[in-house]
Amino acid sequence: MATFPRGCSPAVRFCQKLNRLKTLDDDMMATSLKRCLSTLDLTLLGVGGMVGSGLYVLTGTVAKDMVGPAVIISFIFAGFASLLAAFCYAEFGARIPKTGSAYMFTYVSVGEIWAFLIGWNVILENMIGGAAVARAWSGYLDSIFNHSIQNFTETHIMQWNVPFLAHYPDLLAAGILILASFFISFGVKVSSYLNHIFSVISMAVIIFILVFGFMLAEPANWSAKEGGFAPFGLSGILAGSATCFYAFVGFDVIASSSEEAKNPQKAVPIATAISLGLAAAAYILVSTVLTLMVPWHSLDPNSALADAFFRRGYSWAGIIVAIGSICAMNTVLLCNLFSLPRIVYAMADDGLFFSFFARVNPVTKVPVNAILVFGILMSTMALIFDLEALVQFLSIGTLLAYTFVAASVIVLRFQPDRISSKGTASTSPNPNSETSPAPTESQTIREDSGELKQYESFSDKLQLVERQVSSEKRGPGQLKAYWEPYLGKLLGDCEPGEVVAFCVLTLIVSSVSLCIVLEFGTNQLRLPIWSFSMLLVVFILAYVLSLTLIWLHEPQSKSKTFQVPLVPLTPAASILINVFLMMKLSYLTWIRFTVWIAVGLFVYFGYGIWHSKEGKRELQPEDMAARYVVLPSGSLVETVQPVQPEGQMDTSAHDFSSPTASTAEENAGKR
């Protein structure tokens, strides 16, 4: 992080503390976890995380209540939005193969408090997602036995009528979560083998549904007599897309598993692309079959696929579908229980969450404490809560995480590398100076007699000294040489990446404002036409101008790992789509989201900010570091001095008058 100037206000110090970035180690492959997952393992994890209750439950619910047969278009739109986000996750997962997913990516590029809030939301997303899937799993199994499990529980155990709680305690859902947590704690290989078994069965059942379902298809079910293809119109399709987005949230398990992959640089992008393609194809084709087999308005939201076969007179096929759905939901449970403890582990390992969860079992190489504790919490939620109303809440947390990951891709692509060298951050603006020393960021010291500039490495200084007379390509985050004559006076004095970071913030704000006007301008806000049109023009111009300014800066050189194509256009489009889908969610979802954020801020300011490892790193004095000083005469000399802790610069660092300066100048003359 940048050092604070003398006399810096406490408020500025506090804000910079909140936005400090995570320092990455030189050896990205070093980990206390076990690297044993192949590309196939990651692909099946991704498929298992996406193809589950969404396919067997969500498809029927959205088709009947929100969209009709046009649920196909909703899945296409949601799949496209997920594809843009998947590009961003694939780049980060290959470039930074560390567990933590969106939390880790945000911490590396945006800042600490934002990373914590993203991690906090992903934790809740996985907990609610796992509990909801366990509920759906229990309901499907119960339907096979004609709801005898529910009737027995309500009659002989207990039932209640409390808002937001289930009508009865779902002991079966809680039990399957406890059992799954037990298996997950045995290690990543055991989890992977179980996921392979359930995924193969699930995919076989999906193929059966498609083949037999198309044989039973009746195009008349899409006719105007049954309500038509899109009975709820465009607004219904878009609202359905926001809910269908929940179907694709599981692919981030691949990024969460990158620290346990054998070759994450290749495996993560390939597994992400294949798993997302398979999941999107499954959702689109199955929803087509479902709405062609029976009229959309007669679907059973709780077990649409199995019920469709039962109603067509093929009860044996309905039983096969029910078994397949249980296997598919088992894979989702495993993926939720697999990724959640690893995100908790990453936050605890960074000091932002309780250190109890950072302990890794020396035999199984998994965070057993996090697995067992959050497995019990998840099972408790499944036991008592009615989670159907919280499906949208899952979407808002995921959409927020996707938005920050997309923004992080832009920020990281246009900022100098920050790689740790023996625990020290590097902010070298030269992407080619990989072997240069990497102490803290450069500092500028001014004297009455002239200007002395202090730099980190010889190659950095050479690049800056020769900038005015050289036509070489600029470093990442700097204005492109072609635009220097036009915008140099306006933007030339900014630090590398500073303008891009500001433009990313403007991009997010303009996206939010634009989507608010589009969604609420003519209805809830009741804006007149002239005001509505003017606001649209202003926010579109701000969005386009931000993109243009980002494009005018130098990106990092081509990496050996996967990179998102068409940056900043692709992540910017992802941000806009994610924000638009968030605006389609209900106000109750936003209220719940606000409450959860408030709880997260309480945890961060009560614990995380005081135990952050990055905060402790800032307080530790560094060893000796090489400095390259340019004297007023233009001489370039090397000095070696202790690096002072942040905010505690020694007064000698501000005094380069005689004899220090004269001695350095004499040495320069001898050289």
Side-chain angles (χ1 to χ4, degrees), residues 443-455 458 461 465 627-639 641 652-671:
Q443 307 166 24
T444 301
I445 301 128
R446 299 179 182 273
E447 292 290 323
D448 294 335
S449 58
E451 184 177 13
L452 302 181
K453 293 186 177 179
Q454 190 168 297
Y455 298 90
F458 190 78
K461 181 54 206 155
V465 167
R627 300 286 191 179
Y628 298 85
V629 181
V630 179
L631 300 173
S633 62
S635 303
L636 179 65
V637 297
E638 177 182 356
T639 62
Q641 61 182 22
S652 62
H654 297 269
D655 185 13
F656 277 87
S657 58
S658 238
T660 306
S662 60
T663 303
E665 209 162 14
E666 291 173 6
N667 293 337
K670 293 178 182 178
R671 295 184 184 183

Coordinates of all heavy atoms in Angstrom, one line a residue, residues 443-455 458 461 465 627-639 641 652-671:
Q443 N 8.2 6.9 -3.8 CA 7.9 8.1 -3.1 C 8.6 9.3 -3.8 O 9.7 9.2 -4.4 CB 8.5 8.0 -1.6 CG 8.0 6.7 -0.9 CD 8.7 6.5 0.3 OE1 9.3 7.4 0.9 NE2 8.8 5.3 0.8
T444 N 8.0 10.5 -3.6 CA 8.6 11.7 -4.2 C 8.9 12.6 -3.1 O 8.1 12.9 -2.2 CB 7.6 12.3 -5.2 OG1 7.3 11.4 -6.2 CG2 8.2 13.6 -5.8
I445 N 10.2 13.1 -3.0 CA 10.6 14.0 -2.0 C 11.0 15.3 -2.6 O 11.9 15.4 -3.5 CB 11.8 13.4 -1.2 CG1 11.3 12.1 -0.6 CG2 12.3 14.3 -0.1 CD1 12.2 11.0 -0.9
R446 N 10.5 16.4 -2.2 CA 10.7 17.7 -2.8 C 11.6 18.6 -1.9 O 11.4 18.6 -0.7 CB 9.4 18.5 -3.1 CG 8.5 17.7 -4.1 CD 7.3 18.5 -4.4 NE 6.4 17.7 -5.3 CZ 6.5 17.8 -6.6 NH1 7.3 18.6 -7.1 NH2 5.6 17.1 -7.3
E447 N 12.5 19.3 -2.4 CA 13.4 20.2 -1.7 C 13.3 21.6 -2.3 O 12.8 21.7 -3.5 CB 14.9 19.7 -1.8 CG 15.1 18.4 -1.0 CD 15.0 18.6 0.5 OE1 15.4 19.7 1.0 OE2 14.5 17.7 1.2
D448 N 13.7 22.6 -1.6 CA 13.6 24.0 -2.1 C 14.6 24.1 -3.3 O 14.3 24.9 -4.2 CB 14.0 25.0 -1.0 CG 13.0 25.0 0.1 OD1 11.8 24.6 -0.2 OD2 13.4 25.4 1.2
S449 N 15.7 23.4 -3.3 CA 16.7 23.6 -4.3 C 16.4 22.8 -5.6 O 17.0 22.9 -6.6 CB 18.0 23.2 -3.8 OG 18.0 21.9 -3.4
G450 N 15.4 21.9 -5.5 CA 15.1 21.1 -6.7 C 14.2 19.9 -6.3 O 13.5 20.0 -5.3
E451 N 14.2 18.9 -7.1 CA 13.3 17.8 -6.9 C 14.0 16.5 -6.9 O 14.8 16.2 -7.8 CB 12.2 17.8 -7.9 CG 11.1 16.7 -7.7 CD 10.0 16.7 -8.8 OE1 10.2 17.4 -9.8 OE2 9.0 16.1 -8.6
L452 N 13.9 15.7 -5.8 CA 14.5 14.4 -5.8 C 13.4 13.3 -5.8 O 12.5 13.4 -5.1 CB 15.3 14.3 -4.4 CG 16.4 15.3 -4.2 CD1 17.0 15.0 -2.8 CD2 17.4 15.3 -5.3
K453 N 13.6 12.4 -6.7 CA 12.6 11.3 -6.9 C 13.2 10.0 -6.5 O 14.4 9.7 -6.9 CB 12.1 11.3 -8.3 CG 11.3 12.5 -8.7 CD 10.7 12.4 -10.0 CE 9.8 13.6 -10.4 NZ 9.2 13.5 -11.7
Q454 N 12.5 9.2 -5.7 CA 13.0 8.0 -5.2 C 12.2 6.8 -5.8 O 11.0 6.8 -5.8 CB 12.8 8.0 -3.7 CG 13.5 6.9 -3.0 CD 13.6 7.1 -1.5 OE1 14.2 8.1 -1.1 NE2 12.9 6.3 -0.8
Y455 N 12.9 5.9 -6.4 CA 12.2 4.8 -7.1 C 12.6 3.4 -6.6 O 13.6 3.3 -5.8 CB 12.5 4.9 -8.6 CG 12.0 6.1 -9.2 CD1 12.8 7.3 -9.3 CD2 10.7 6.2 -9.7 CE1 12.4 8.4 -9.8 CE2 10.2 7.4 -10.3 CZ 11.1 8.5 -10.3 OH 10.6 9.7 -10.8
F458 N 16.0 -0.2 -10.7 CA 16.7 0.5 -11.7 C 15.9 0.6 -13.0 O 15.9 1.6 -13.7 CB 18.1 -0.1 -11.9 CG 19.0 0.6 -12.8 CD1 19.7 1.7 -12.3 CD2 19.2 0.3 -14.1 CE1 20.5 2.5 -13.1 CE2 20.0 1.0 -14.9 CZ 20.7 2.1 -14.4
K461 N 13.1 3.2 -13.0 CA 13.6 4.5 -13.1 C 14.0 4.8 -14.5 O 13.8 5.9 -15.1 CB 14.8 4.8 -12.2 CG 15.3 6.2 -12.3 CD 14.2 7.2 -12.1 CE 14.5 8.6 -12.8 NZ 13.3 9.3 -13.1
V465 N 12.7 7.9 -16.7 CA 13.6 8.9 -17.1 C 13.6 9.1 -18.6 O 13.6 10.2 -19.1 CB 15.1 8.6 -16.6 CG1 16.1 9.4 -17.3 CG2 15.2 8.7 -15.1
R627 N 17.4 1.6 -3.2 CA 16.7 2.8 -3.7 C 17.5 3.4 -4.8 O 18.7 3.4 -4.9 CB 16.5 3.9 -2.6 CG 15.7 3.4 -1.4 CD 14.2 3.2 -1.7 NE 13.5 3.0 -0.5 CZ 12.2 2.9 -0.5 NH1 11.5 3.0 -1.6 NH2 11.5 2.7 0.7
Y628 N 16.8 4.0 -5.8 CA 17.4 4.6 -6.9 C 17.0 6.1 -6.9 O 15.8 6.4 -7.1 CB 17.0 4.0 -8.2 CG 17.5 2.5 -8.3 CD1 16.7 1.5 -7.7 CD2 18.8 2.2 -8.8 CE1 17.2 0.2 -7.7 CE2 19.2 0.9 -8.8 CZ 18.4 -0.1 -8.2 OH 18.9 -1.4 -8.2
V629 N 17.9 7.0 -6.7 CA 17.6 8.4 -6.5 C 18.1 9.2 -7.6 O 19.3 9.1 -8.1 CB 18.3 8.9 -5.1 CG1 18.0 10.3 -4.9 CG2 17.8 8.0 -4.0
V630 N 17.3 10.1 -8.1 CA 17.6 11.0 -9.2 C 17.9 12.4 -8.5 O 17.0 13.0 -7.9 CB 16.5 11.2 -10.2 CG1 17.0 12.1 -11.3 CG2 16.3 9.8 -10.9
L631 N 19.1 12.9 -8.7 CA 19.5 14.2 -8.1 C 19.1 15.3 -9.0 O 18.8 15.1 -10.2 CB 21.0 14.2 -7.8 CG 21.4 13.1 -6.8 CD1 22.9 13.1 -6.8 CD2 20.8 13.3 -5.5
P632 N 19.0 16.6 -8.6 CA 18.6 17.7 -9.4 C 19.5 17.8 -10.7 O 19.0 18.2 -11.7 CB 18.8 18.9 -8.5 CG 18.7 18.4 -7.2 CD 19.2 17.0 -7.2
S633 N 20.7 17.3 -10.7 CA 21.5 17.4 -11.8 C 21.2 16.3 -12.9 O 21.7 16.4 -14.0 CB 23.0 17.2 -11.4 OG 23.2 15.9 -10.9
G634 N 20.3 15.4 -12.5 CA 20.0 14.3 -13.4 C 20.7 13.1 -13.2 O 20.5 12.1 -13.9
S635 N 21.7 13.1 -12.3 CA 22.5 11.9 -12.0 C 21.6 10.8 -11.4 O 20.7 11.1 -10.6 CB 23.7 12.2 -11.1 OG 24.5 13.2 -11.6
L636 N 22.0 9.6 -11.7 CA 21.2 8.4 -11.2 C 22.1 7.6 -10.3 O 23.2 7.1 -10.8 CB 20.7 7.6 -12.3 CG 19.9 6.3 -11.9 CD1 18.6 6.7 -11.2 CD2 19.6 5.5 -13.1
V637 N 21.8 7.5 -9.0 CA 22.7 6.7 -8.1 C 21.8 5.7 -7.3 O 20.6 5.9 -7.2 CB 23.4 7.7 -7.1 CG1 24.3 8.7 -7.8 CG2 22.4 8.4 -6.2
E638 N 22.5 4.7 -6.8 CA 21.9 3.7 -6.0 C 22.3 3.9 -4.6 O 23.4 4.1 -4.2 CB 22.3 2.3 -6.5 CG 21.7 1.2 -5.6 CD 22.2 -0.2 -6.0 OE1 22.9 -0.2 -7.1 OE2 21.8 -1.1 -5.4
T639 N 21.3 3.9 -3.7 CA 21.5 4.0 -2.2 C 20.9 2.8 -1.6 O 19.9 2.2 -2.1 CB 21.0 5.2 -1.6 OG1 19.6 5.2 -1.8 CG2 21.6 6.5 -2.3
Q641 N 19.2 1.6 2.1 CA 18.8 2.2 3.4 C 17.7 1.3 3.9 O 17.0 0.6 3.2 CB 18.3 3.6 3.2 CG 17.1 3.7 2.3 CD 16.7 5.2 2.1 OE1 17.5 6.1 2.3 NE2 15.5 5.4 1.7
S652 N 15.3 11.7 8.3 CA 16.4 11.7 7.4 C 16.0 11.3 6.0 O 16.7 11.7 5.0 CB 17.4 10.6 7.9 OG 16.8 9.3 7.9
A653 N 14.8 10.6 5.8 CA 14.4 10.3 4.5 C 13.9 11.6 3.8 O 13.7 11.6 2.5 CB 13.2 9.3 4.5
H654 N 13.6 12.6 4.5 CA 13.2 13.9 3.9 C 14.3 14.9 3.8 O 14.0 16.0 3.4 CB 12.0 14.5 4.7 CG 10.8 13.6 4.8 ND1 9.8 13.7 3.9 CD2 10.5 12.6 5.7 CE1 8.9 12.8 4.2 NE2 9.3 12.1 5.3
D655 N 15.5 14.5 4.1 CA 16.6 15.4 4.2 C 17.7 14.9 3.3 O 18.5 14.1 3.8 CB 17.0 15.7 5.6 CG 18.1 16.8 5.7 OD1 18.3 17.5 4.7 OD2 18.7 16.9 6.7
F656 N 17.8 15.2 2.1 CA 18.8 14.8 1.2 C 19.8 15.9 0.9 O 20.4 16.0 -0.2 CB 18.2 14.2 -0.1 CG 17.7 12.8 0.0 CD1 16.5 12.6 0.4 CD2 18.6 11.8 -0.3 CE1 16.0 11.3 0.5 CE2 18.1 10.5 -0.2 CZ 16.8 10.2 0.2
S657 N 19.9 16.8 1.8 CA 20.9 17.9 1.6 C 22.2 17.4 2.0 O 22.4 16.3 2.4 CB 20.5 19.1 2.5 OG 20.4 18.7 3.9
S658 N 23.2 18.2 1.9 CA 24.6 17.8 2.2 C 24.7 17.3 3.6 O 24.0 17.8 4.5 CB 25.4 19.1 2.1 OG 26.4 19.0 1.2
P659 N 25.5 16.3 3.9 CA 26.5 15.7 2.9 C 25.9 14.6 2.1 O 26.6 14.1 1.2 CB 27.6 15.2 3.8 CG 26.9 14.8 5.1 CD 25.7 15.8 5.2
T660 N 24.7 14.1 2.4 CA 24.2 12.9 1.7 C 24.1 13.1 0.2 O 24.6 12.3 -0.6 CB 22.8 12.5 2.2 OG1 22.9 12.4 3.6 CG2 22.3 11.2 1.6
A661 N 23.5 14.2 -0.2 CA 23.3 14.5 -1.6 C 24.6 14.7 -2.3 O 24.9 14.2 -3.4 CB 22.4 15.7 -1.8
S662 N 25.6 15.5 -1.6 CA 26.8 15.7 -2.3 C 27.6 14.4 -2.4 O 28.3 14.2 -3.5 CB 27.6 16.8 -1.4 OG 27.8 16.2 -0.1
T663 N 27.6 13.6 -1.4 CA 28.3 12.3 -1.5 C 27.7 11.5 -2.7 O 28.5 10.9 -3.4 CB 28.1 11.5 -0.2 OG1 28.6 12.3 0.9 CG2 28.9 10.2 -0.3
A664 N 26.4 11.4 -2.8 CA 25.8 10.7 -3.9 C 26.2 11.3 -5.2 O 26.4 10.6 -6.2 CB 24.3 10.7 -3.7
E665 N 26.3 12.6 -5.3 CA 26.6 13.3 -6.6 C 28.1 13.0 -6.9 O 28.4 12.8 -8.1 CB 26.4 14.8 -6.4 CG 26.0 15.4 -7.8 CD 25.4 16.8 -7.5 OE1 25.5 17.3 -6.4 OE2 24.8 17.3 -8.5
E666 N 29.0 12.9 -5.9 CA 30.3 12.6 -6.2 C 30.5 11.2 -6.7 O 31.2 10.9 -7.6 CB 31.2 12.8 -4.9 CG 31.3 14.2 -4.5 CD 32.0 14.3 -3.1 OE1 32.4 13.3 -2.6 OE2 32.1 15.4 -2.6
N667 N 29.7 10.3 -6.1 CA 29.7 8.9 -6.5 C 29.2 8.8 -8.0 O 29.7 8.0 -8.8 CB 28.9 8.0 -5.6 CG 29.5 7.9 -4.2 OD1 30.7 8.1 -4.0 ND2 28.6 7.6 -3.2
A668 N 28.2 9.6 -8.3 CA 27.7 9.5 -9.6 C 28.7 10.0 -10.6 O 28.9 9.5 -11.7 CB 26.4 10.4 -9.7
G669 N 29.5 11.1 -10.2 CA 30.5 11.6 -11.1 C 31.6 10.6 -11.3 O 32.1 10.4 -12.4
K670 N 32.0 9.8 -10.3 CA 33.0 8.8 -10.4 C 32.5 7.7 -11.4 O 33.3 7.1 -12.2 CB 33.3 8.1 -9.1 CG 34.1 9.1 -8.2 CD 34.4 8.5 -6.8 CE 35.0 9.4 -5.9 NZ 35.3 8.8 -4.5
R671 N 31.2 7.4 -11.3 CA 30.6 6.4 -12.2 C 30.6 6.9 -13.6 O 30.7 6.1 -14.6 CB 29.2 6.0 -11.8 CG 29.2 5.3 -10.4 CD 27.8 4.9 -10.1 NE 27.8 4.3 -8.7 CZ 26.7 3.8 -8.2 NH1 25.6 3.7 -8.8 NH2 26.7 3.3 -6.9

